Amino acid sequence: MQPLYKDVDPAFQGAGTKSGLEIWCIEDLQLVPISKSSHGKFYSGSAYLILNTVFLKSGHPNHSIHYWQGNEASQEDLVLASDKALELDEALGLCAVQYREVQGHETEKFLSYFRPCLIPVEGKYSSETGNSPGETYRNCLFACKGDHAIHVKEVPCCRSCLNHSDVFILDTASKIFLFSGCNSSVQERAKALEVVQYINENKHNGNCEVATIEDGKFVSDPDAGEFWSLFGGYAPIPRDSPSAFLEEYDSHSTKLFRITLQGKLSEVGVGSLTKEMLEADKCYMLDCDVEVFVWMGRNSLITERRISISATEDFLRSEDRSSGTRVTLLTEGLETAAFRSHFVNWPHKLDVNLYEEGRGKVAAIFKQHGYDVKELPDEEYEPLINCRGTLKVWQVDGDKLSLLPAHEQTKLYRGHCYVVSYTYASHGKDEHLLYTWFGRASLMEDKVDAIRHINALADSMRGHPVLARVFEDKEPVQFFFIFQRLIVYKGGTTSQYHRFIAEKGLPDETYDGKGPALFRVQGKSPDNMQAIQVDLVASCLNSSYCYILHTGASVFTWIGNLSSTRDHDLLDIMLETINPTWQPVSLREGCEPDEFWEALGGRSEYPKGKDTIKQMEDPHLFKVTLTDGDFKVKEIYNFTQSDLTTEDVFILDCHDEIYLWIGCHSNATSKGEALNIGQKYLEKDVLAKGHTLDTSIYVVMEGHEPPFFTCFFSWDYSKANLHGNSFERKLAILKGGIETSEGHLMNSRRRHSRGATPDNSRSNSVSSNGSGRSASPLFDIPSSYNRRFSTPTPIVKNLFPEYSPATKNPGSPEAQPRTSSGSNISDQAHWSAEADNLIIYPYERLKVTSDDPVIDIDVTRREAHLSEEEFQEKFGISRTAFYQLPKWRRDKLKVTLHLF
């Protein structure tokens, strides 16, 4: 196979065309590919090149190049690894970010590829054996630091290396000891347990005994006595013993230098920097003390880039900087959030064509050699929760909440705020969603009252509802699925709203049903459609939509030339929803009578196409730290469910909406300030992608995560039942006390996948007339609720009361008596009996993956529609025996048969 370019190493053929890690090692000044079975095993005498490729939801590849420098590697190998990183970037079309990784000082992004840890091996890599010969077992002492991506550093096996700040692992032939410094955090101890398990499985085949030792507690503990005997006996650790790791600090000084062709640094600016200082045909170095960035203009030459890297290395040596100083190489257009944060008003709009531009240089060659870059299909969103639950809507009217009648609860006014409650069944229990919806023309007083009301409602409910704050025109799609058919009118009906417009001398635009009015119809399906009242002018039309025009005397339906057949179907349904007595005149764009234009105040120009759909964003997870009012976040790379530690607060940034996840053992201040934390995060715009302050915010409590949150993880619901802090949970798992099967995994990050519901099946929502919601029990507001708020109720108490087990609803499955096997007696009798009266369907139509799926059935009970013969054939047991099994066993069986 010929190389991509004459100067590109043949080892890079096909690099970056598939997702995942690709690793090369420098051996005899040549690149040698490392097999996947050896990924994560690094030799301190070698230098490595690592490429990580992720295909984003937008379809574009995201490349990260890391060149890792072992502490004992030769200077020739280090220089070659740096040069090869540039070469690989060029082969990929200049579409990668490059990171220099130094042994013992690796970035958290790099460490996240090799969970739970990376422990370098002494010696030099040899492709002939794949290992250094003559490895023998010896006692090792490792220092561990970090609560997510953990740094593991081997230190001399002596007492003087212990300290009160870090966690240590002493690995011996017969036992592994975990020593926790008294100043180490619970999260660090929990992460170190994962390293203990890794060492046990990889060096001892999982057969080694594990002992935990607490700093300062050793009296009458035989494990502690054995531990200290290996250090010659117990002796106290000095209070001022230094940590095995360099302490990181926030950089306060930023200097920008231009790098000349002679490798000289010319200072450009200090402190307040702007993007205009960076020229596309030059290279620059941004010095941020603990981190250094090399910015390479898109029109700069490869020789200039090599000179820039060499000049940066010389600068760090001359300044006597720590070997752990991070160095990141960026090509224009691929700037990271950390880099952009050092510039004032960095433009938020990123040029997505940069990826295509770079890939275009090599795509044809890739295909010529049989490679192809996969694009993700544009998939349609499907609901991720049961949409047949109970919906209640209250209108905010000052200190009062007015419950809307069922037939009015899908009609909202732009001048009001509303509190929305939705209850749905999930995994055998009722879950609750509480929304505040702010109309675009609503009053600030109503917004404040709405937040107070939702706090009080959350406090009065059993369990821990998910709270959400949404603005009109920024609603998350899940919100629309809950309402299914939503109409938004202009104006308002409350006395407070009418008093406001009277004081301001504003016209009353409230629609009274008699007209005139113009509605834009939008949506994806009959279970997700909206009619939005817009201004009664021709400029509000759009060729890509359908409209309903009520003139008072006549009704017109207007069909844009760029609208789809689906849009036309939704138009008919929504027309009947707004007023079933209307007899409309259907109009095609371009065939309108004069009466139509007169109602809109005359003809005028209007848009032809919908707003451009922005690229889907992959989610980012951040840990939140609040100390003395200071708000800080730290990104967790390649995150998993296990990163959600119960002592902490996290933000999951999905761009269009953000989630605040509150651990059960997190501090009370974080819980109470949840919405404020979300607002601070939006103001900070951590990712520098132009978050607006009206972005939707969800507040999620640990143990009550909704499926539209868990879909971003490979979620194991059994972990929600674990008790204790992070360390106690991990220790119980390590000692075999808890089964951690992956039988309940949700689809990983398939938020936009077709047919994805909590049961991996499409939700059967309401029928075409809007009925069909279940009568799931929901709280009622106490008669004493509507009271005047003389003083604001404390946020902590309102949002998150002290944790206590939720009281079971008398009618809920959890309240029913259970057999010794854990099955629900009422459940058995009900579903066994009901199966006799249900319509029978063939298995092929009941499957989640069916090409001809059955509709209008309870998707959580697909198996109930099987005939007795087919049930016995598929499950291998009788229907009665099946319903006597514990629910988790039944669900697991259904998953294997694609019925769940």
Side-chain angles (χ1 to χ4, degrees):
M1 185 178 294
Q2 297 299 315
L4 299 179
Y5 304 111
K6 63 178 181 180
D7 296 327
V8 175
D9 197 301
F12 293 145
Q13 289 292 340
T17 58
K18 296 180 181 179
S19 62
L21 286 177
E22 297 172 76
I23 303 178
W24 299 266
C25 183
I26 305 294
E27 184 183 18
D28 297 330
L29 299 181
Q30 297 292 325
L31 273 184
V32 177
I34 303 297
S35 64
K36 286 191 176 182
S37 61
S38 296
H39 283 190
K41 190 170 187 178
F42 290 83
Y43 288 87
S44 58
S46 299
Y48 293 79
L49 192 63
I50 299 92
L51 170 64
N52 185 55
T53 301
V54 177
F55 284 93
L56 305 178
K57 291 182 181 297
S58 63
H60 296 303
N62 180 290
H63 300 299
S64 297
I65 298 173
H66 305 256
Y67 52 101
W68 186 86
Q69 304 177 347
N71 288 337
E72 306 300 325
S74 67
Q75 186 63 31
E76 292 84 355
D77 285 354
L78 300 184
V79 172
L80 183 58
S82 174
D83 286 345
K84 289 297 180 182
L86 276 175
E87 191 176 310
L88 176 57
D89 186 19
E90 185 179 31
L92 294 171
L94 303 178
C95 290
V97 177
Q98 301 173 50
Y99 303 86
R100 185 189 72 165
E101 306 288 350
V102 179
Q103 181 180 343
H105 304 280
E106 296 88 353
T107 63
E108 293 203 351
K109 183 182 182 71
F110 180 76
L111 291 175
S112 70
Y113 304 145
F114 307 104
R115 297 200 179 199
C117 62
L118 185 152
I119 304 178
V121 180
E122 288 187 358
K124 194 174 182 68
Y125 174 81
S126 171
S127 58
E128 294 182 1
T129 62
N131 297 280
S132 287
E135 285 189 32
T136 58
Y137 186 85
R138 61 183 178 82
N139 289 356
C140 297
L141 181 64
F142 299 100
C144 303
K145 193 75 172 178
D147 49 11
H148 290 279
I150 189 165
H151 293 263
V152 180
K153 180 179 182 181
E154 185 173 357
V155 296
C157 197
C158 58
R159 184 193 296 110
S160 61
C161 287
L162 301 175
N163 61 64
H164 299 293
S165 301
D166 302 327
V167 182
F168 293 84
I169 296 171
L170 178 60
D171 177 27
T172 71
S174 59
K175 187 179 289 188
I176 303 174
F177 298 88
L178 177 74
F179 175 84
S180 301
C182 59
N183 296 326
S184 62
S185 68
V186 170
Q187 299 94 315
E188 287 178 316
R189 300 176 189 185
K191 271 294 174 183
L193 277 175
E194 294 183 16
V195 180
V196 169
Q197 186 171 7
Y198 172 83
I199 293 174
N200 191 11
E201 292 175 353
N202 287 272
K203 294 184 68 175
H204 302 276
N205 296 318
N207 298 319
C208 197
E209 187 179 347
V210 175
T212 56
I213 312 297
E214 287 192 49
D215 185 8
K217 295 182 181 180
F218 64 96
V219 178
S220 70
D221 186 339
D223 287 330
E226 185 179 355
F227 173 79
W228 288 112
S229 69
L230 295 170
F231 294 96
Y234 173 76
I237 302 172
R239 289 187 178 181
D240 58 352
S241 55
S243 170
F245 300 90
L246 293 175
E247 184 177 352
E248 291 190 8
Y249 59 93
D250 293 331
S251 59
H252 301 288
S253 171
T254 55
K255 294 181 180 179
L256 183 65
F257 299 89
R258 182 171 63 83
I259 304 174
T260 68
L261 289 174
Q262 293 75 36
K264 304 296 183 181
L265 300 182
S266 173
E267 187 173 307
V268 175
V270 179
S272 297
L273 307 174
T274 63
K275 187 178 183 297
E276 287 69 31
M277 295 178 176
L278 304 173
E279 298 180 40
D281 60 345
K282 294 181 175 62
C283 294
Y284 297 81
M285 186 190 79
L286 179 67
D287 179 17
C288 306
D289 294 334
V290 296
E291 187 168 20
V292 171
F293 297 92
V294 177
W295 185 91
M296 301 172 289
R298 188 152 285 276
N299 298 330
S300 60
L301 303 175
I302 189 69
T303 53
E304 294 179 86
R305 298 176 180 223
R306 287 198 174 99
I307 292 171
S308 297
I309 296 172
S310 178
T312 300
E313 297 283 359
D314 291 341
F315 171 81
L316 294 177
R317 281 192 293 269
S318 65
E319 292 284 314
D320 197 24
R321 293 289 178 86
S322 164
S323 60
T325 302
R326 301 191 199 115
V327 177
T328 305
L329 284 68
L330 305 160
T331 298
E332 180 184 0
L334 300 174
E335 296 85 0
T336 62
F339 178 84
R340 298 195 301 266
S341 66
H342 295 290
F343 290 78
V344 178
N345 298 324
W346 187 278
H348 294 304
K349 185 177 180 181
L350 299 178
D351 186 1
V352 297
N353 291 326
L354 286 175
Y355 283 102
E356 294 302 332
E357 175 189 322
R359 289 171 67 202
K361 298 178 181 178
V362 295
I365 303 176
F366 278 154
K367 292 181 179 179
Q368 180 182 354
H369 293 290
Y371 296 101
D372 194 11
V373 177
K374 295 181 180 178
E375 298 282 346
L376 294 181
D378 183 18
E379 296 179 296
E380 190 173 302
Y381 188 100
E382 293 285 349
L384 292 174
I385 64 172
N386 179 359
C387 291
R388 300 176 68 187
T390 301
L391 176 70
K392 288 191 176 183
V393 182
W394 291 269
Q395 187 181 70
V396 176
D397 189 4
D399 296 335
K400 296 181 181 179
L401 276 183
S402 303
L403 179 64
L404 300 181
H407 66 280
E408 294 290 332
Q409 65 185 7
T410 58
K411 301 175 182 179
L412 308 181
Y413 285 89
R414 184 165 295 150
H416 294 328
C417 295
Y418 295 84
V419 173
V420 178
S421 169
Y422 183 70
T423 301
Y424 63 97
S426 177
H427 296 279
K429 61 181 179 180
D430 281 345
E431 296 289 0
H432 308 288
L433 290 174
L434 283 180
Y435 289 91
T436 55
W437 183 86
F438 298 152
R440 283 295 175 193
S442 60
L443 310 179
M444 181 55 68
E445 293 88 343
D446 282 346
K447 293 175 183 176
V448 172
D449 287 334
I451 294 296
R452 290 176 178 172
H453 285 303
I454 196 173
N455 290 344
L457 286 179
D459 193 31
S460 68
M461 293 179 65
R462 296 183 292 270
H464 293 277
V466 173
L467 305 184
R469 184 210 69 178
V470 302
F471 285 81
E472 181 189 352
D473 297 332
K474 289 282 188 173
E475 298 92 345
V477 68
Q478 197 64 58
F479 183 83
F480 287 141
F481 271 112
I482 287 172
F483 274 87
Q484 299 181 357
R485 298 175 193 175
L486 180 64
I487 307 172
V488 178
Y489 296 107
K490 299 177 70 173
T493 60
T494 65
S495 57
Q496 185 162 299
Y497 176 81
H498 284 107
R499 184 167 57 252
F500 171 79
I501 62 174
E503 291 173 354
K504 299 294 183 179
L506 301 174
D508 186 0
E509 297 181 310
T510 306
Y511 181 65
D512 58 5
K514 299 178 181 178
L518 180 65
F519 296 91
R520 183 182 70 244
V521 177
Q522 61 189 38
K524 301 295 185 183
S525 72
D527 296 330
N528 172 8
M529 57 187 301
Q530 304 85 44
I532 311 297
Q533 187 178 0
V534 297
D535 291 341
L536 198 66
V537 291
S539 59
C540 284
L541 297 175
N542 189 310
S543 299
S544 295
Y545 291 95
C546 296
Y547 290 79
I548 299 172
L549 173 62
H550 183 207
T551 66
S554 305
V555 176
F556 297 97
T557 56
W558 186 84
I559 300 173
N561 287 336
L562 299 180
S563 60
S564 66
T565 303
R566 180 182 62 186
D567 295 329
H568 307 163
D569 295 337
L570 298 184
L571 176 64
D572 294 337
I573 297 173
M574 190 53 78
L575 180 70
E576 183 179 355
T577 303
I578 296 177
N579 191 328
T581 65
W582 281 350
Q583 299 296 321
V585 177
S586 181
L587 303 175
R588 275 279 183 184
E589 181 180 3
C591 303
E592 304 87 353
D594 292 340
E595 181 185 356
F596 176 86
W597 295 115
E598 289 171 1
L600 297 179
R603 296 175 183 266
S604 70
E605 294 293 324
Y606 53 82
K608 299 297 181 182
K610 294 182 181 179
D611 292 336
T612 303
I613 299 176
K614 55 180 172 291
Q615 299 290 343
M616 268 186 277
E617 298 282 346
D618 277 46
H620 296 260
L621 183 69
F622 296 90
K623 177 185 172 183
V624 178
T625 302
L626 292 172
T627 53
D628 300 326
D630 191 16
F631 172 83
K632 293 182 179 179
V633 295
K634 181 179 75 172
E635 184 164 6
I636 311 301
Y637 298 98
N638 297 307
F639 59 84
T640 67
Q641 180 185 357
S642 297
D643 284 311
L644 300 174
T645 44
T646 186
E647 296 82 11
D648 296 314
V649 176
F650 292 86
I651 291 177
L652 183 67
D653 184 344
C654 303
H655 193 74
D656 288 335
E657 56 217 39
I658 66 171
Y659 296 83
L660 269 292
W661 184 91
I662 312 296
C664 290
H665 291 77
S666 59
N667 61 71
T669 302
S670 296
K671 294 177 184 177
E673 294 290 339
L675 286 175
N676 288 343
I677 292 173
Q679 192 68 17
K680 286 181 180 179
Y681 176 82
L682 294 176
E683 293 170 358
K684 203 175 183 76
D685 195 16
V686 174
L687 293 174
K689 289 191 175 181
H691 269 309
T692 57
L693 298 183
D694 55 5
T695 300
S696 298
I697 301 174
Y698 284 93
V699 179
V700 177
M701 191 70 185
E702 180 184 7
H704 297 268
E705 296 88 352
F708 49 88
F709 173 84
T710 61
C711 67
F712 293 106
F713 302 80
S714 290
W715 197 264
D716 183 353
Y717 278 96
S718 67
K719 291 183 179 179
N721 299 321
L722 302 183
H723 299 290
N725 61 35
S726 298
F727 178 77
E728 292 165 347
R729 295 179 183 184
K730 291 280 175 64
L731 186 60
I733 294 173
L734 182 62
K735 295 196 172 184
I738 298 176
E739 177 65 35
T740 57
S741 71
E742 298 297 319
H744 292 74
L745 295 184
M746 294 293 292
N747 286 343
S748 175
R749 303 192 192 185
R750 296 289 293 159
R751 182 168 185 225
H752 296 267
S753 63
R754 183 177 299 277
T757 70
D759 304 317
N760 286 341
S761 58
R762 179 167 180 165
S763 172
N764 180 31
S765 303
V766 298
S767 58
S768 59
N769 61 6
S771 63
R773 292 192 184 274
S774 65
S776 179
L778 183 66
F779 68 96
D780 290 316
I781 299 179
S783 58
S784 60
Y785 173 79
N786 283 325
R787 62 186 184 278
R788 179 166 295 279
F789 294 97
S790 55
T791 57
T793 310
I795 298 177
V796 173
K797 182 178 178 183
N798 286 337
L799 269 179
F800 296 97
E802 289 298 318
Y803 178 82
S804 60
T807 304
K808 305 296 184 185
N809 294 324
S812 69
E814 289 76 20
Q816 304 298 333
R818 294 183 178 272
T819 66
S820 59
S821 65
S823 60
N824 190 311
I825 295 175
S826 174
D827 193 49
Q828 298 170 30
H830 172 71
W831 287 103
S832 294
E834 184 166 311
D836 295 334
N837 301 318
L838 292 176
I839 300 174
I840 301 300
Y841 292 103
Y843 168 73
E844 292 300 325
R845 291 196 63 195
L846 291 169
K847 288 194 307 182
V848 173
T849 56
S850 174
D851 294 330
D852 181 24
V854 178
I855 60 175
D856 295 330
I857 63 170
D858 186 340
V859 294
T860 67
R861 299 288 181 175
R862 295 173 181 270
E863 78 285 352
H865 294 272
L866 288 169
S867 66
E868 289 295 339
E869 295 77 12
E870 202 162 18
F871 191 104
Q872 181 75 38
E873 175 190 345
K874 298 299 180 183
F875 284 94
I877 58 175
S878 67
R879 195 186 303 271
T880 301
F882 173 78
Y883 286 116
Q884 288 176 348
L885 295 174
K887 185 178 185 300
W888 70 269
R889 287 285 305 277
R890 301 200 304 266
D891 290 347
K892 192 169 184 178
L893 285 173
K894 290 195 291 184
V895 167
T896 61
L897 293 171
H898 305 289
L899 292 171
F900 189 87

